[in-house]
Amino acid sequence: MAFDAEIRQALIEQVRRFVTEKCIPIEAQVGETDEVPQAIVDEMKNLGLFGLAVPEEYGGLGLDMETECLVALELGRTSPAFRSVAGTNIGIGSQALVLFGTDEQKEKWLPGIASGDLIASFALTEPEAGSDAGGLKTKAVRDGDEYVLSGSKRYITNANKANLFTVMARTNPDEPGAKGVSAFIVERDAPGVSVGAPESKMGQQGAHACDVNFDEVRIPASNMIGKEGEGFKVAMSVLDKGRLHISAVATGASERLIKEMVNYAMEREQFGKPIAQHQLIQGMMADSQAEAYAARCMILDAARRRDEGENVTILASSTKLFATEACGRVADRAVQVFGGAGYITDYGIERFYRDVRLFRLYEGTSQIQQIVIARELMKAAKADQL
């Protein structure tokens, strides 16, 4: 749905107030307890944040990509754990069904995903497969009207809260790489599904990742998303969208860090004047602002082009690469501007420094983005020669 300017602005302001008034004040609490309070989760449900990308007919907001990115920029201004609560529902947890699901599948699961009553998680990564999705060992063997699913998944976001998993599994062992992989919806309460304890992580406390094990889990053949062997296609179809969303979250974090470093630099005095008056500090602030502004422009340009139906694979990967790497540089400069205070827990800067490191890893590492960009450039060059 393309929102008109007035409705879009009202939504963005509503999310901004939520972030400013409800999330930012309890960032330290979430970092210490490793849990987002249920009251916050309930308010996120009321705001419709779980259903940003679910069509209106299934109870979602059905946002266009540009509006979703504008909302993600606002959510990025606070600890990433808050956005992560709904992140898998916004991403492939819903989008695989939106794009490839049958009418029956959509009617069964999308309304619950949109409301946040169902948490949908994406299970791709394995001990020996992540960036190389074609290396999956989890298998699904056809047995009449069912598939028998066996294997283990690792670092699965929101697994401990999930009601459903979109699982990538190998259905044809004779097909090499990604060609033999299919996508399935697996319900948490299916016999044979078990979820490990949340991992202890470097950052993003309050956002949980766990191992998920499938021990001869029987699932109806009707739970397959798309056709057999199309799992990789299902996953790849939503990557451009996910990469733009994460770019926006990372850039929102950059903008928050810039605000924090400028305010601190204007208050902290050294050599008889605020450190903001020292040119080397000004250089770090200026570089950070230039990079955040460039990332925002890239995000919104790519999002608009996607909304217009353009293939934005190279733009999405370029944006994700730049925005997340820039966020890492901004976070590092923020610690530097704060000096010793930036290393102390009380100020929260060191928490952001740890939190944003993950942005360069998920939705495809920076190195995967480089490979995608180079591959798309060579593909375009070859097409020009034909």
Side-chain angles (χ1 to χ4, degrees), residues 355-386:
D355 286 348
V356 304
R357 185 60 183 86
L358 186 58
F359 292 148
R360 289 182 271 170
L361 301 178
Y362 57 21
E363 298 287 347
T365 65
S366 292
Q367 287 65 45
I368 288 296
Q369 306 312 320
Q370 290 172 320
I371 290 169
V372 171
I373 294 164
R375 183 191 67 206
E376 293 298 313
L377 285 171
M378 290 185 285
K379 188 188 299 183
K382 186 176 181 180
D384 286 345
Q385 294 171 1
L386 297 179

Side-chain angles (χ1 to χ4, degrees), residues 27 132 202 266 283 372:
E27 287 172 341
D132 176 19
M202 173 183 178
M266 291 174 66
V372 171

